[in-house]
Amino acid sequence: MNRKARTALTAGVLAVALGLGATAQAASAGTPRSVSGKTSDNITRIADFYGTYIDAMNDEGSVKLRAALREHYLTPAFQKELNAWEKRNHANGVLRAQNVPLAWKVTDNGTADHTEAVITLTWGKSHPTKLVVDMTRGSHKIFHIGEKGIGGK
């Protein structure tokens, strides 16, 4: 098998393992990708939080960063609630898990009085976990994280 064929096969296997669709395969095979957002947009803020938090979970010695992210993005009341949840469940409350996902996606779930997003966490070959995250429109702080369909919304 030549190098080009091996590269295409490897990209295809990785795409299947990570659950990427054909569009994502083609775009990542040489076409530059872009990510955009707006500081005033709560979905962008939620995506920024999850992306940075997951990176901090993967980086050794970033306990202070994770604490700072929680302080910046979560309401004080929810921080207390999350700490209590973690003690009861022996897991990370932001991720609702004991390990770190390989990928994440944030989708606007739409509401009138606050922003609600569905976070899809991909762990590998297993089925993804879906979380519901609610953020205030005024303070831009997360006040709820729950498992979709299980104690969530």
Side-chain angles (χ1 to χ4, degrees), residues 53-58 95 97-103 121-124:
Y53 192 86
I54 289 168
D55 285 347
M57 290 292 295
N58 281 318
L95 303 175
Q98 293 178 337
N99 53 359
V100 182
L102 299 174
L121 303 173
T122 304
W123 307 95

Side-chain angles (χ1 to χ4, degrees), residues 39-56:
T39 57
S40 62
D41 179 59
N42 278 352
I43 296 299
T44 299
R45 291 179 66 86
I46 293 168
D48 289 346
F49 170 67
Y50 267 87
T52 306
Y53 192 86
I54 289 168
D55 285 347

Side-chain angles (χ1 to χ4, degrees), residues 18-21 24 33 35 42-52 54-55 94-95 100-109 116-124 128-133 145-146 148:
L18 296 175
L20 299 175
R33 296 183 329 136
V35 176
N42 278 352
I43 296 299
T44 299
R45 291 179 66 86
I46 293 168
D48 289 346
F49 170 67
Y50 267 87
T52 306
I54 289 168
D55 285 347
V94 171
L95 303 175
V100 182
L102 299 174
W104 53 270
K105 179 172 85 170
V106 177
T107 306
D108 189 346
N109 209 30
E116 182 176 277
V118 174
I119 313 302
T120 304
L121 303 173
T122 304
W123 307 95
T129 301
K130 291 189 183 264
L131 304 175
V132 173
V133 174
I145 297 172
K148 189 158 175 66

